[in-house]
Amino acid sequence: MEVIVFLVPLALLLGVFGLLGFLWSLKNGQYDDLEGAAWRAISDDDETPRTPGPSAARRGV
Amino acid sequence: MQATRDFSHYVKHLGSGLAHIDLAVEGVSCAGCMSKIERGLSAIPDVTLARVNLTDRRVALEWKEGALDPARFIDRLAELGYKAYPFETVSAETAEVENSRFLLRCLGVAAFATMNVMMLSIPVWSGNVSDMLPEQRDFFHWMSALIALPAAAYAGQPFFRSAFNALRTGNVNMDVPISIGVILALAMSVVETIGHAEHAYFDAAIMLLTFLLVGRYLDQSMRRRTRAVAGNLAALKAETATKFVGPDEISVVPAAAIRAGDIVLLRPGERCAVDGTVIDGRSEIDQSLITGETRHAAVEAGSAVYAGSLNISGGLRIRVSAAAEGTLLAEIQRLLDHAVQARSRYVQLADRASRLYAPVVHATALLTMIGWLIAGASLHDSIITAIAVLIITCPCALGLAIPTVQTIAAGAMFRAGVLINSGDAIERVAEVDHIIFDKTGTLTLPELDVVNSAAVSADVFALAGRLALASHHPVAAALARTAGAKSPLPGVTEEPGQGVRGNFGGEDVRLGRPSFCGAEDLADEILRRDPEASVVAFAHGEKRCAFAVRQGLRPDARETVAALQKRGIAVEILSGDREPAVRAAAHTLGVPEWRAGVTPADKIARIEELKRQGFKVMMVGDGLNDAPSLAAAHVSMSPISAAHLSQATADLVFLGKPLAPVIAAVDYSRKALRLMRQNLYLAVGYNFLAVPIAILGFVTPLIAAAAMSGSSILVMLNALRGRRVRQEKV
């Protein structure tokens, strides 16, 4: 059962990665337009000529 | 004289040669619009970014500074079929967006911590009944502490701050018991872990924060959404003025950029955005927005005009006056400030509940501790039991009870055409038992309409409409709109003060004053029946006809008034308009109580009188003159066509032509208030079941977790019922 000493921290570490991913996406402005994002997911890629860089999103786009 | 449009006021310079502008766009509703707009704008050379935000209905644009004029984007959007306006983010909204991101961050941290602490707690719960080694349990508890303590310190900030602020000013709000409960639970768990005890409550404390943050975030995002819509409305209504930048050169600028001493041009059919004095020209103006008086006033050089006046017949040059003080608008603003201050701070249901709740809960915990001490338990065990009582009573469901209902009800009202400006409006609308309507623009439609179009044959009507397109006169514009005219007649000339004339099929056609068309007898007949109407006459060869033009009642005004009366709400009309007009409207609508010719101060006096009699008054109005009374009433509502100031004051704004959203607002609010009360009872009822168990000392972390999530889910499910109200025939 000593193995849990490694396994539990390992599980937590994976959780931390998830949390960091969420915080990154939040900072990146991915939750600013939930309604639009839902539609963008089903529109064809080649119809959107330019995707904005992360710098644009951070400015509150 | 072609006007240029100057949007430099709204352009942000980002450095590195890029410029940025935000545009509010009307009518964006789907993915199709989104890609159409983005493609259409990106095709303009030098544009580096065009991105639609579908939630806020806005477009963000960036381009290389230089040759490109921002007006080009507006034109391009107009070509694509969308009406766009430059948009300036107000600081309140920026703060709101920042706050909403912070809450989401807290929620993310708390949810992460809850999941991981749960992962560690469940083995402990099951291990306690099987064969877990004490060392293993301690290890799990320490790991939980390692996650829960920093997470609670971060994610608890919104509650700790609010509780601290409340305590500092000598108040108690819902956040005080929450903060005490969380801090005590964590502290006790740390002490218990050090003492190798069996139970720790890290999971309960952090789960509580997660549930509460869900409630906070829902509440916040509802307010943010309505704030964004209100912000767009303000941008769509942003006043512009045509300013002389040279002797013969004019430029359209935002009213905010106009300074005293500037000279502006006011064309027929335009609304004045500034206070000033006429220096050249002669016209009639409609001041009904300011005074409620629908009769037009004649102005000439030297006359004063106020912001909000509508120019009717001739072009005016106006010098913007320096003195904003003492103008009619300033007077209204002053009344408004006074009324806003005087509005008694409405205590929200949640706050009232927490005022009762906190002392009861804390007293129970204290009594539990004293009781166990007297019964002979050790100090340690007594404190643990008392803290267990606090944890189990922590207002988790109570924190969700109201925001969930508000969010659902606001969404339902949004679909019914009602926007909510202030968070507690739902509770206040639900209590309303007396509604005061303004007449002009509220019970009636804001635009003029031809009321006797049925009496005129369709082809004559269509021809008159085409001829009317040549005139700027508001009555002619109303005729053209009602007739649905699209193609103007060629070769039409305007005779100032008389009307327009042209040629159609070899015959003379005229539209204008009855005397101009030789139709005085027809006009007199209309005016005898309806003294309020404006008459415009039309002549085609030998044929004559006359159109009666007036502000028509909203199509469902009568049914709405009847439906409101059926709900036990007294309806009254207060209008600044003349008596015959108000009497006629009141008679048609079946409203027994009405007053005509009232001033803004009279309206407030009437509202105060009703308040003293114990009525909860809702004011529905649109004019500038209504703004102070909107603020004075218990709750207020404006149509979307309202003057900017009134709309900012109103708690609710309704869209579209019908008046039915007023009923929807009342129905959904009443249902929402009922659900909020039910939810509070549910949350309290849960506590009634759980508290005795806690007082007796039987509560384990497992029971605490089950009680908390069970009651929260129940409350959320109950809130979902607010999506529908019983439909009845109105």
Side-chain angles (χ1 to χ4, degrees), chain B residues 62-411:
Chain B
E62 279 171 24
W63 68 97
K64 296 195 195 96
E65 276 181 286
L68 206 51
D69 179 8
R72 174 109 182 260
F73 301 135
I74 309 245
D75 294 340
R76 184 80 188 106
L77 283 167
E79 283 166 31
L80 294 170
Y82 302 96
K83 213 167 168 191
Y85 298 79
F87 178 82
E88 199 175 11
T89 317
V90 286
S91 57
E93 203 191 309
T94 320
E96 203 94 6
V97 170
E98 201 34 61
N99 193 11
S100 143
R101 280 190 176 191
F102 175 64
L103 280 176
L104 199 53
R105 235 172 13 238
C106 289
L107 180 57
V109 170
F112 156 79
T114 306
M115 288 188 270
N116 286 288
V117 172
M118 262 315 155
M119 178 186 85
L120 295 167
S121 295
I122 291 172
V124 175
W125 297 340
S126 44
N128 279 342
V129 292
S130 56
D131 54 352
M132 191 181 228
L133 299 174
E135 295 75 28
Q136 281 174 341
R137 194 174 58 213
D138 281 354
F139 173 70
F140 277 71
H141 277 168
W142 279 117
M143 290 303 286
S144 302
L146 194 70
I147 303 164
L149 291 178
Y154 183 80
Q157 282 179 76
F159 307 101
F160 301 153
R161 269 189 220 156
S162 147
F164 180 72
N165 286 338
L167 287 177
R168 209 178 41 188
T169 53
N171 285 318
V172 175
N173 61 12
M174 197 64 108
D175 293 331
V176 174
I178 291 170
S179 301
I180 293 178
V182 168
I183 291 172
L184 280 180
L186 288 173
M188 177 191 90
S189 305
V190 171
V191 172
E192 291 289 278
T193 306
I194 293 172
H196 307 289
E198 205 173 312
H199 295 309
Y201 289 90
F202 295 113
D203 48 5
I206 196 75
M207 185 161 80
L208 174 73
L209 284 180
T210 308
F211 275 125
L212 288 170
L213 281 166
V214 169
R216 284 296 147 96
Y217 180 70
L218 284 179
D219 194 35
Q220 170 73 25
S221 55
M222 175 196 89
R223 263 183 295 149
R224 187 186 150 198
R225 181 180 188 151
T226 55
R227 189 66 56 89
V229 172
N232 285 2
L233 283 179
L236 302 185
K237 283 174 180 293
E239 315 275 335
T240 57
T242 313
K243 177 181 156 185
F244 281 91
V245 288
D248 260 338
E249 211 183 324
I250 50 177
S251 177
V252 178
V253 297
I258 297 274
R259 300 280 166 265
D262 286 348
I263 296 172
V264 297
L265 175 70
L266 190 63
R267 297 198 190 87
E270 283 183 345
R271 211 174 269 288
C272 189
V274 295
D275 284 7
T277 320
V278 178
I279 53 172
D280 188 29
R282 183 184 285 270
S283 176
E284 288 181 316
I285 58 168
D286 173 358
Q287 297 189 321
S288 59
L289 200 57
I290 312 162
T291 59
E293 167 67 77
T294 50
R295 206 170 293 184
H296 301 160
V299 289
E300 53 186 18
S303 314
V305 286
Y306 302 109
S309 314
L310 181 69
N311 187 11
I312 304 294
S313 45
L316 294 172
R317 284 187 188 212
I318 295 166
R319 184 184 299 281
V320 180
S321 62
E325 306 289 318
T327 60
L328 207 46
L329 198 57
E331 167 74 9
I332 287 171
Q333 184 70 52
R334 204 174 52 74
L335 277 173
L336 178 65
D337 291 344
H338 185 73
V340 169
Q341 277 169 14
R343 177 191 269 183
S344 57
R345 293 280 309 140
Y346 178 78
V347 186
Q348 294 189 29
L349 194 55
D351 289 338
R352 272 179 290 163
S354 69
R355 265 177 211 180
L356 272 177
Y357 188 79
V360 170
V361 165
H362 292 158
T364 314
L366 192 69
L367 287 177
T368 307
M369 190 181 87
I370 295 171
W372 276 103
L373 278 178
I374 292 171
S378 71
L379 182 65
H380 171 263
D381 288 351
S382 313
I383 291 178
I384 297 284
T385 315
I387 291 177
V389 171
L390 277 186
I391 294 172
I392 207 91
T393 55
C394 223
C396 183
L398 227 49
L400 286 171
I402 288 166
T404 44
V405 177
Q406 270 180 345
T407 308
I408 301 276

Side-chain angles (χ1 to χ4, degrees), chain B residues 11-91:
Chain B
V11 175
K12 276 185 280 181
H13 302 282
L14 301 173
S16 66
L18 284 179
H20 179 109
I21 195 169
D22 287 313
L23 303 174
V25 188
E26 274 182 280
V28 190
S29 53
C30 65
C33 306
M34 207 159 66
S35 58
K36 192 164 136 198
I37 290 175
E38 288 183 354
R39 255 181 299 157
L41 290 173
S42 301
I44 301 176
D46 280 356
V47 171
T48 56
L49 169 78
R51 187 154 174 101
V52 176
N53 184 324
L54 201 58
T55 315
D56 298 342
R57 312 268 147 103
R58 290 178 195 155
V59 180
L61 276 159
E62 279 171 24
W63 68 97
K64 296 195 195 96
E65 276 181 286
L68 206 51
D69 179 8
R72 174 109 182 260
F73 301 135
I74 309 245
D75 294 340
R76 184 80 188 106
L77 283 167
E79 283 166 31
L80 294 170
Y82 302 96
K83 213 167 168 191
Y85 298 79
F87 178 82
E88 199 175 11
T89 317
V90 286
S91 57

Side-chain angles (χ1 to χ4, degrees), chain B residues 1 3 19 105 203 253 276 278 297 379 516 565 598 606 626 698 700:
Chain B
M1 214 159 34
R105 235 172 13 238
D203 48 5
V253 297
V278 178
L379 182 65
F516 178 64
Q565 284 165 338
V598 290
R606 173 67 182 152
D626 293 318
F698 292 137
T700 62

Side-chain angles (χ1 to χ4, degrees), chain B residues 434-456:
Chain B
H434 198 110
I435 298 187
I436 296 179
F437 283 102
D438 173 47
K439 184 181 79 74
T440 315
T442 307
L443 287 173
T444 66
L445 286 165
E447 293 165 331
L448 294 169
D449 245 328
V450 178
V451 288
N452 65 340
S453 52
V456 182

